[in-house]
């Protein structure tokens, strides 16, 4: 498994955690986009998930109950330069950065 997929999985879990912490989003439909084909495949098909990260997937399933529904979609890295730039910065940060748009 690639290290990039692990970082992408952690990013998706963090996005869900942050969304779940915002009461305004409870019982709403949210869309999670990632440039990782592996992560989107894992989120959409639980039978293909690597057992090594079952705790992260269990957390996602628990948090998903806060929302009306969640859609996981793939978007190419080149299609969102700002998200790609922020993700690269986030890997190098020593503290969390949260921005609500």
């Amino acid at each position: 498994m690639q290290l990039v997929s692990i970082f992408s999985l952690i990013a998706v879990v963090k996005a869900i955690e942050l969304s779940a912490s915002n009461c305004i989003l409870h019982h709403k439909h949210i869309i999670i986009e990632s440039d990782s084909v592996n992560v989107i495949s894992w989120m959409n098909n639980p039978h293909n998930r690597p057992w090594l990260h079952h705790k992260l997937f269990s957390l996602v399933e628990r948090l998903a109950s806060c929302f009306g529904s969640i859609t996981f979609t793939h978007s190419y890295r080149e299609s969102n330069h700002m998200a790609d730039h922020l993700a690269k910065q986030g890997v190098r940060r020593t503290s969390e950065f949260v921005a609500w748009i």
Side-chain angles (χ1 to χ4, degrees), residues 3-44:
L3 190 58
V4 173
S5 294
I6 295 166
F7 286 138
S8 295
L9 175 59
I10 292 169
V12 166
V13 172
K14 188 57 143 176
I16 294 169
E17 284 178 322
L18 289 170
S19 298
S21 72
N22 187 342
C23 296
I24 295 171
L25 297 177
H26 287 195
H27 308 294
K28 303 284 185 188
H29 174 76
I30 65 169
I31 300 169
I32 302 290
E33 294 181 350
S34 174
D35 63 355
S36 172
V37 174
N38 286 340
V39 172
I40 296 303
S41 174
W42 296 336
M43 301 314 267
N44 289 326

Side-chain angles (χ1 to χ4, degrees), residues 36-83:
S36 172
V37 174
N38 286 340
V39 172
I40 296 303
S41 174
W42 296 336
M43 301 314 267
N44 289 326
N45 189 352
H47 300 292
N48 289 339
R49 294 175 178 172
W51 177 250
L52 178 64
H53 302 297
H54 74 279
K55 289 182 182 179
L56 290 174
F57 295 116
S58 294
L59 176 60
V60 167
E61 289 174 8
R62 280 194 312 274
L63 293 173
S65 66
C66 294
F67 308 106
S69 61
I70 301 178
T71 300
F72 297 97
T73 62
H74 176 259
S75 63
Y76 290 95
R77 183 174 301 131
E78 299 80 17
S79 68
N80 193 340
H81 295 288
M82 180 57 73

